Amino acid sequence: MSGRLVLLGTKGGPAIRPGGPWPTSTLLELGGRTVVVDCGLGVTRGVTDAGLSLKALDLVFITHLHSDHVLELGPLLHTAWTAGLATPVTLFGPVGLNRYWQSFVQALEFDIEIRIVDEGRPDLRKMVEVVEFGEGEVLSDGDLSVTALRVDHPPVTECFALRFEHQGTSIVFSADTAFFPPLADFARGADILLHEAMLEKGVERLVARTGNGARLREHLMASHSLAGEAGTIAARAGVGRLVLNHLIPADDPDIGEADWVEAVRKTWNGPLTIGRDGLVVTDKGEDAP
Ligand SMILES: [Zn+2]
Ligand SMILES: [Zn+2]
Protein backbone atom coordinates (compact mmCIF):
# COMPACT_ATOMS: atom_id res chain seq x y z
CA MET A 1 0.00 0.00 0.00
CA SER A 2 1.13 3.54 -0.61
CA GLY A 3 0.48 6.17 2.00
CA ARG A 4 0.42 6.43 5.74
CA LEU A 5 -2.20 5.92 8.39
CA VAL A 6 -1.60 7.50 11.79
CA LEU A 7 -3.88 6.78 14.74
CA LEU A 8 -4.10 10.14 16.48
CA GLY A 9 -6.76 9.27 19.06
CA THR A 10 -7.93 5.73 19.80
CA LYS A 11 -10.28 6.05 22.75
CA GLY A 12 -14.03 5.48 22.45
CA GLY A 13 -16.13 8.15 24.15
CA PRO A 14 -15.51 11.85 24.86
CA ALA A 15 -14.12 11.87 28.44
CA ILE A 16 -10.38 12.05 29.01
CA ARG A 17 -8.40 11.15 32.12
CA PRO A 18 -4.88 11.94 33.35
CA GLY A 19 -2.30 10.11 31.29
CA GLY A 20 -4.97 8.44 29.20
CA PRO A 21 -5.53 8.21 25.44
CA TRP A 22 -7.47 10.74 23.34
CA PRO A 23 -10.87 10.42 21.65
CA THR A 24 -11.17 9.38 18.02
CA SER A 25 -9.22 10.92 15.18
CA THR A 26 -7.09 9.45 12.41
CA LEU A 27 -4.73 10.89 9.82
CA LEU A 28 -4.62 9.27 6.39
CA GLU A 29 -2.09 10.31 3.75
CA LEU A 30 -3.11 8.71 0.47
CA GLY A 31 -2.41 9.62 -3.14
CA GLY A 32 -0.79 12.91 -2.16
CA ARG A 33 -3.89 13.98 -0.20
CA THR A 34 -3.95 14.77 3.50
CA VAL A 35 -7.11 13.40 5.04
CA VAL A 36 -8.34 13.57 8.62
CA VAL A 37 -11.09 11.16 9.61
CA ASP A 38 -13.01 12.24 12.72
CA CYS A 39 -11.99 15.13 14.94
CA GLY A 40 -12.28 14.16 18.58
CA LEU A 41 -10.54 16.23 21.22
CA GLY A 42 -6.76 16.27 20.65
CA VAL A 43 -6.86 16.06 16.84
CA THR A 44 -4.94 19.31 16.29
CA ARG A 45 -2.08 18.30 18.57
CA GLY A 46 -2.19 14.81 17.06
CA VAL A 47 -1.74 16.09 13.50
CA THR A 48 1.24 18.27 14.46
CA ASP A 49 2.76 15.48 16.59
CA ALA A 50 2.58 13.31 13.46
CA GLY A 51 4.98 15.81 11.90
CA LEU A 52 2.47 17.42 9.61
CA SER A 53 1.95 21.14 9.04
CA LEU A 54 -1.64 22.19 9.65
CA LYS A 55 -1.33 24.14 6.38
CA ALA A 56 -1.38 20.79 4.57
CA LEU A 57 -4.97 20.03 5.64
CA ASP A 58 -7.01 19.12 2.61
CA LEU A 59 -9.97 16.83 3.26
CA VAL A 60 -11.77 16.16 6.53
CA PHE A 61 -14.36 13.41 7.00
CA ILE A 62 -16.70 13.09 9.96
CA THR A 63 -18.39 9.69 10.39
CA HIS A 64 -21.14 10.99 12.71
CA LEU A 65 -21.87 13.89 15.00
CA HIS A 66 -21.16 12.33 18.41
CA SER A 67 -18.80 14.69 20.24
CA ASP A 68 -15.96 12.17 20.50
CA HIS A 69 -15.80 12.44 16.67
CA VAL A 70 -16.50 16.12 16.05
CA LEU A 71 -15.70 18.22 19.13
CA GLU A 72 -12.39 19.59 17.83
CA LEU A 73 -13.30 20.00 14.14
CA GLY A 74 -13.83 23.77 14.38
CA PRO A 75 -10.71 24.36 16.51
CA LEU A 76 -8.64 22.23 14.08
CA LEU A 77 -9.60 24.40 11.11
CA HIS A 78 -9.36 27.66 13.00
CA THR A 79 -5.89 26.74 14.28
CA ALA A 80 -4.81 25.70 10.77
CA TRP A 81 -6.02 29.11 9.60
CA THR A 82 -3.95 30.96 12.21
CA ALA A 83 -1.01 28.70 11.27
CA GLY A 84 -1.18 30.05 7.72
CA LEU A 85 -3.62 27.80 5.88
CA ALA A 86 -3.89 29.26 2.40
CA THR A 87 -5.65 26.51 0.44
CA PRO A 88 -9.30 25.45 0.60
CA VAL A 89 -10.41 22.59 2.85
CA THR A 90 -13.47 20.43 2.22
CA LEU A 91 -15.41 18.99 5.14
CA PHE A 92 -17.47 15.88 4.49
CA GLY A 93 -19.98 14.64 7.03
CA PRO A 94 -23.58 13.64 7.67
CA VAL A 95 -26.54 16.00 7.71
CA GLY A 96 -26.01 18.49 10.52
CA LEU A 97 -22.33 19.13 9.78
CA ASN A 98 -23.08 22.37 8.00
CA ARG A 99 -25.01 23.62 11.03
CA TYR A 100 -22.05 22.68 13.27
CA TRP A 101 -19.61 24.60 11.05
CA GLN A 102 -21.83 27.67 10.64
CA SER A 103 -22.42 27.79 14.40
CA PHE A 104 -18.68 27.46 15.06
CA VAL A 105 -17.66 30.34 12.79
CA GLN A 106 -20.47 32.40 14.26
CA ALA A 107 -19.18 31.73 17.79
CA LEU A 108 -15.69 32.81 16.65
CA GLU A 109 -16.95 35.75 14.59
CA PHE A 110 -15.15 38.36 16.71
CA ASP A 111 -11.78 36.65 16.37
CA ILE A 112 -12.16 35.79 12.68
CA GLU A 113 -13.17 39.31 11.67
CA ILE A 114 -10.50 41.02 13.73
CA ARG A 115 -7.74 38.80 12.30
CA ILE A 116 -8.90 39.49 8.75
CA VAL A 117 -8.64 43.24 9.36
CA ASP A 118 -5.69 43.29 11.76
CA GLU A 119 -3.49 40.54 10.26
CA GLY A 120 -4.63 40.59 6.66
CA ARG A 121 -5.74 36.95 6.70
CA PRO A 122 -8.07 35.46 4.10
CA ASP A 123 -11.64 34.84 5.28
CA LEU A 124 -11.76 31.40 6.90
CA ARG A 125 -15.48 31.18 6.12
CA LYS A 126 -14.73 31.33 2.40
CA MET A 127 -11.95 28.74 2.57
CA VAL A 128 -14.06 25.90 3.91
CA GLU A 129 -16.64 24.02 1.92
CA VAL A 130 -19.05 21.67 3.70
CA VAL A 131 -20.42 18.63 1.87
CA GLU A 132 -23.13 16.64 3.63
CA PHE A 133 -23.32 13.07 2.38
CA GLY A 134 -25.51 9.99 2.67
CA GLU A 135 -24.89 6.41 1.67
CA GLY A 136 -23.00 5.73 -1.59
CA GLU A 137 -20.34 7.68 -3.41
CA VAL A 138 -19.01 10.59 -1.38
CA LEU A 139 -16.03 11.71 -3.44
CA SER A 140 -14.42 10.82 -6.73
CA ASP A 141 -11.45 13.04 -7.43
CA GLY A 142 -8.76 11.80 -9.80
CA ASP A 143 -7.51 8.48 -8.46
CA LEU A 144 -9.07 8.95 -5.03
CA SER A 145 -12.55 7.70 -4.32
CA VAL A 146 -14.54 7.56 -1.10
CA THR A 147 -17.77 5.67 -0.50
CA ALA A 148 -20.02 5.50 2.56
CA LEU A 149 -22.16 2.80 4.16
CA ARG A 150 -24.77 3.58 6.78
CA VAL A 151 -23.95 1.48 9.86
CA ASP A 152 -25.89 0.48 12.99
CA HIS A 153 -25.24 2.97 15.79
CA PRO A 154 -28.55 3.63 17.55
CA PRO A 155 -29.98 6.08 18.36
CA VAL A 156 -27.82 7.87 15.74
CA THR A 157 -29.14 7.17 12.24
CA GLU A 158 -26.62 9.28 10.32
CA CYS A 159 -23.45 7.29 11.00
CA PHE A 160 -21.31 6.05 8.12
CA ALA A 161 -18.46 3.64 7.54
CA LEU A 162 -16.05 5.02 4.92
CA ARG A 163 -13.99 3.29 2.26
CA PHE A 164 -11.02 5.14 0.74
CA GLU A 165 -9.51 3.80 -2.50
CA HIS A 166 -6.47 4.95 -4.39
CA GLN A 167 -4.75 2.97 -7.15
CA GLY A 168 -5.47 -0.43 -5.64
CA THR A 169 -4.98 0.59 -2.02
CA SER A 170 -8.09 0.55 0.14
CA ILE A 171 -8.65 1.58 3.72
CA VAL A 172 -11.99 1.12 5.49
CA PHE A 173 -13.19 2.85 8.66
CA SER A 174 -16.08 1.11 10.45
CA ALA A 175 -17.16 4.27 12.30
CA ASP A 176 -19.15 3.52 15.48
CA THR A 177 -21.34 0.50 14.96
CA ALA A 178 -22.88 -2.54 16.58
CA PHE A 179 -22.02 -5.83 14.87
CA PHE A 180 -23.13 -5.12 11.30
CA PRO A 181 -22.69 -7.95 8.77
CA PRO A 182 -23.10 -5.71 5.64
CA LEU A 183 -19.83 -4.07 6.69
CA ALA A 184 -18.02 -7.25 5.62
CA ASP A 185 -19.15 -6.75 2.00
CA PHE A 186 -18.30 -3.07 2.18
CA ALA A 187 -14.79 -3.84 3.48
CA ARG A 188 -14.21 -6.74 1.06
CA GLY A 189 -10.49 -7.17 0.29
CA ALA A 190 -9.43 -3.88 1.92
CA ASP A 191 -5.76 -3.54 2.83
CA ILE A 192 -6.68 -2.21 6.25
CA LEU A 193 -9.92 -2.27 8.21
CA LEU A 194 -10.09 0.06 11.21
CA HIS A 195 -12.89 -1.29 13.34
CA GLU A 196 -14.21 0.00 16.63
CA ALA A 197 -14.07 -2.46 19.51
CA MET A 198 -15.27 -3.07 22.99
CA LEU A 199 -14.04 -5.66 25.50
CA GLU A 200 -16.77 -7.49 27.39
CA LYS A 201 -14.93 -7.84 30.68
CA GLY A 202 -13.89 -4.19 30.43
CA VAL A 203 -17.49 -3.14 29.93
CA GLU A 204 -18.50 -5.01 33.08
CA ARG A 205 -15.80 -3.17 35.04
CA LEU A 206 -16.81 0.15 33.48
CA VAL A 207 -20.45 -0.45 34.35
CA ALA A 208 -19.53 -1.41 37.92
CA ARG A 209 -17.60 1.88 38.33
CA THR A 210 -20.41 4.06 36.94
CA GLY A 211 -23.55 5.08 38.78
CA ASN A 212 -25.88 4.61 35.84
CA GLY A 213 -24.58 1.11 35.19
CA ALA A 214 -27.43 -0.89 33.69
CA ARG A 215 -28.44 1.91 31.31
CA LEU A 216 -24.82 2.41 30.19
CA ARG A 217 -24.35 -1.30 29.53
CA GLU A 218 -27.57 -1.34 27.48
CA HIS A 219 -26.36 1.60 25.36
CA LEU A 220 -22.90 0.13 24.78
CA MET A 221 -24.14 -3.32 23.84
CA ALA A 222 -26.76 -1.93 21.43
CA SER A 223 -24.48 0.58 19.69
CA HIS A 224 -20.95 -0.88 19.64
CA SER A 225 -19.13 -4.07 18.61
CA LEU A 226 -17.26 -6.53 20.79
CA ALA A 227 -13.67 -7.20 19.77
CA GLY A 228 -14.59 -10.71 18.61
CA GLU A 229 -17.33 -9.25 16.40
CA ALA A 230 -14.82 -6.87 14.80
CA GLY A 231 -12.69 -9.97 14.11
CA THR A 232 -15.67 -11.70 12.47
CA ILE A 233 -16.18 -8.75 10.11
CA ALA A 234 -12.46 -8.76 9.24
CA ALA A 235 -12.49 -12.51 8.58
CA ARG A 236 -15.63 -12.38 6.41
CA ALA A 237 -14.24 -9.39 4.47
CA GLY A 238 -10.83 -10.99 3.98
CA VAL A 239 -8.95 -7.80 4.80
CA GLY A 240 -5.17 -7.51 4.84
CA ARG A 241 -4.97 -6.16 8.38
CA LEU A 242 -7.42 -5.47 11.19
CA VAL A 243 -6.76 -2.41 13.34
CA LEU A 244 -8.87 -1.98 16.46
CA ASN A 245 -9.61 1.58 17.51
CA HIS A 246 -12.30 3.51 19.41
CA LEU A 247 -11.45 1.17 22.28
CA ILE A 248 -13.92 0.75 25.14
CA PRO A 249 -12.50 0.76 27.72
CA ALA A 250 -9.30 2.51 26.66
CA ASP A 251 -7.95 3.59 30.02
CA ASP A 252 -8.54 0.72 32.42
CA PRO A 253 -5.13 -0.04 34.01
CA ASP A 254 -6.09 -3.68 34.41
CA ILE A 255 -6.81 -4.18 30.72
CA GLY A 256 -3.88 -4.41 28.35
CA GLU A 257 -3.09 -5.29 24.76
CA ALA A 258 -2.98 -9.02 25.58
CA ASP A 259 -6.65 -8.91 26.64
CA TRP A 260 -7.67 -7.38 23.33
CA VAL A 261 -5.57 -9.83 21.32
CA GLU A 262 -7.06 -12.77 23.22
CA ALA A 263 -10.61 -11.58 22.46
CA VAL A 264 -9.98 -10.97 18.73
CA ARG A 265 -8.04 -14.19 18.13
CA LYS A 266 -11.23 -16.20 18.66
CA THR A 267 -12.51 -14.93 15.30
CA TRP A 268 -9.54 -13.45 13.38
CA ASN A 269 -6.10 -14.95 12.83
CA GLY A 270 -4.74 -12.49 10.27
CA PRO A 271 -2.49 -9.46 10.80
CA LEU A 272 -3.72 -7.46 13.79
CA THR A 273 -2.96 -4.11 15.38
CA ILE A 274 -4.43 -2.94 18.68
CA GLY A 275 -4.65 0.83 18.31
CA ARG A 276 -2.85 3.31 20.51
CA ASP A 277 -2.35 7.04 20.09
CA GLY A 278 0.43 8.01 17.68
CA LEU A 279 0.78 4.58 16.11
CA VAL A 280 1.65 4.55 12.38
CA VAL A 281 0.06 1.64 10.53
CA THR A 282 0.81 0.21 7.10
CA ASP A 283 -0.33 -3.08 5.59
CA LYS A 284 3.11 -4.45 6.57
CA GLY A 285 2.65 -3.64 10.23
CA GLU A 286 3.18 -0.74 12.56
CA ASP A 287 5.80 1.67 13.84
CA ALA A 288 5.89 2.60 17.48
CA PRO A 289 4.96 6.23 18.22
ZN1 LIG B 1 -17.62 7.31 19.39
ZN1 LIG C 1 -20.82 7.36 18.34
Side-chain angles (χ1 to χ4, degrees):
M1 115 181 202
S2 61
R4 185 167 79 126
L5 184 71
V6 189
L7 309 180
L8 306 177
T10 53
K11 176 188 183 294
I16 60 168
R17 298 186 178 87
W22 291 84
T24 307
S25 63
T26 308
L27 173 66
L28 173 62
E29 292 173 304
L30 190 61
R33 310 298 293 265
T34 301
V35 183
V36 173
V37 180
D38 284 334
C39 291
L41 198 64
V43 63
T44 314
R45 184 58 186 265
V47 169
T48 53
D49 281 356
L52 201 85
S53 165
L54 293 173
K55 287 158 74 172
L57 270 188
D58 178 7
L59 306 171
V60 179
F61 289 81
I62 301 296
T63 59
H64 65 302
L65 294 177
H66 263 150
S67 58
D68 52 324
H69 301 255
V70 79
L71 189 65
E72 202 173 298
L73 170 63
L76 170 68
L77 287 155
H78 186 282
T79 307
W81 177 63
T82 57
L85 182 76
T87 47
V89 176
T90 312
L91 310 183
F92 296 88
V95 167
L97 187 68
N98 191 46
R99 182 178 152 89
Y100 168 101
W101 175 248
Q102 296 308 330
S103 304
F104 175 79
V105 290
Q106 193 177 15
L108 269 291
E109 189 175 37
F110 173 83
D111 181 87
I112 292 169
E113 291 190 349
I114 214 161
R115 286 183 197 282
I116 292 170
V117 174
D118 192 35
E119 301 171 12
R121 293 188 185 278
D123 191 338
L124 175 62
R125 295 161 294 200
K126 293 182 180 144
M127 298 171 69
V128 175
E129 184 192 359
V130 179
V131 178
E132 294 184 338
F133 65 80
E135 200 166 66
E137 183 181 282
V138 177
L139 173 70
S140 179
D141 186 359
D143 290 335
L144 179 69
S145 73
V146 184
T147 49
L149 174 74
R150 189 186 304 274
V151 288
D152 184 21
H153 188 45
V156 180
T157 58
E158 302 301 301
C159 182
F160 296 92
L162 295 168
R163 181 176 180 125
F164 293 79
E165 307 240 22
H166 177 264
Q167 292 182 346
T169 294
S170 46
I171 316 280
V172 175
F173 293 75
S174 72
D176 285 10
T177 184
F179 177 61
F180 191 56
L183 192 53
D185 283 327
F186 184 71
R188 180 85 52 215
D191 295 281
I192 295 177
L193 168 64
L194 271 95
H195 201 296
E196 70 126 271
M198 192 165 63
L199 202 60
E200 196 153 24
K201 71 177 175 184
V203 170
E204 290 315 315
R205 288 165 51 85
L206 195 68
V207 161
R209 282 206 313 264
T210 312
N212 201 15
R215 185 79 188 273
L216 178 64
R217 181 202 278 116
E218 209 175 291
H219 160 78
L220 291 173
M221 298 312 264
S223 311
H224 295 282
S225 300
L226 294 169
E229 293 174 327
T232 298
I233 297 292
R236 289 185 190 170
V239 300
R241 171 171 294 274
L242 171 63
V243 179
L244 296 190
N245 77 339
H246 197 278
L247 303 179
I248 300 176
D251 51 8
D252 184 330
D254 290 327
I255 287 178
E257 190 164 312
D259 298 294
W260 289 100
V261 171
E262 186 194 2
V264 186
R265 283 306 181 210
K266 293 182 175 126
T267 53
W268 168 251
N269 56 21
L272 173 67
T273 298
I274 309 302
R276 58 181 189 276
D277 294 6
L279 201 67
V280 180
V281 185
T282 69
D283 57 349
K284 305 275 185 293
E286 53 194 66
D287 296 325

